[in-house]
Amino acid sequence: MIAHDPHLAVRLARDTRDLKGAQRLRYRVFVEELGGDGPLVDHDARLEIDAHDPHYDHLVLTDARRDGAGFDHVVGAYRLMTGENARQHGFYCATEYDLGVLARSGRSLLELGRSCLHPDYRGGSAMYLLWQALAGYIQQRRIEVLFGVASFHGTEPERLAAPLSLLHARHLAPPDLRVRSLVHQPMDLLPEPEIDRRAATAAIPALIKAYLRLGGFVGDGAFIDAPFNTTDVCLVLDVARMDPRSRALYGGTS
């Protein structure tokens, strides 16, 4: 059992300060840590902003010990867009992946993005608390399919040949969930027998491995996001395909 920290709380952003707290955390992780950038990034204020932010729900993890006058109270964040809201505002992922197979399914969709944790909170209860709150959001809105891009650091696919090839070989989405990158970067760069599975697995970011453990899949092809200095893969998770143990770990339900 994961010990609960009484100073930590999760909520949907309720005001501008919470939103800016999420954007401050994103700046620390995606800009300072990973070397990303973008046209709306505010380097002076240290806020990672994009044009999609006003249309999304922002799930924030806060620490009461950091609740001063600034924006540093947010230590974890997710950005969420339901399929219903996307009919008006669109999905961020649609700038990188053809989501037609999901849109045509008629199923209830949720896009997850901008997932990040402050470095001091990784490896403890913080991500578990975020995921519990996310599960409540999913259950309340009766979401059936989750998806979103997750990133490898760097934009040179040949350096990521082993982990990308392993993902393609072992975790490619079935046809009814198989989104495809718009500017297609093949992931099957190595024949499966040539993949060093141990090294490839070690090179896969923890967030991607977490979704794979829940029963997630990857779409067809990666996407090179040069401004963010990342190579992205699209993760797709069908709630109905999760086994009962995974659902219990993820959402506290059976």
Side-chain angles (χ1 to χ4, degrees), residues 9-14 18-26 29-30 48 50 52-62 74-82 92-93 110-118 125-138 146-151 206-214 235 237 250:
V10 187
R11 61 175 179 260
L12 290 177
R14 59 193 181 194
D18 278 352
L19 174 57
K20 288 188 179 293
Q23 292 168 338
R24 169 67 56 80
L25 176 64
R26 283 161 33 184
V29 174
F30 299 127
E48 192 276 298
D50 79 3
H52 299 267
D53 279 336
H55 309 306
Y56 278 70
D57 283 339
H58 298 265
L59 191 66
V60 295
L61 174 69
T62 64
V74 174
V75 298
Y78 257 111
R79 192 169 75 170
L80 312 174
M81 172 70 78
T82 64
Y92 172 85
C93 282
L110 179 67
E111 181 192 69
L112 312 176
R114 292 300 200 271
S115 173
C116 54
L117 280 177
H118 189 286
S125 64
M127 184 53 94
Y128 179 77
L129 291 172
L130 271 174
W131 278 20
Q132 275 199 319
L134 179 60
Y137 186 100
I138 289 165
L146 319 177
F147 67 96
V149 297
S151 303
L207 182 64
I208 296 177
K209 285 190 278 197
Y211 281 109
L212 297 179
R213 284 194 294 270
L214 290 171
L235 293 164
L237 180 62
Y250 180 61

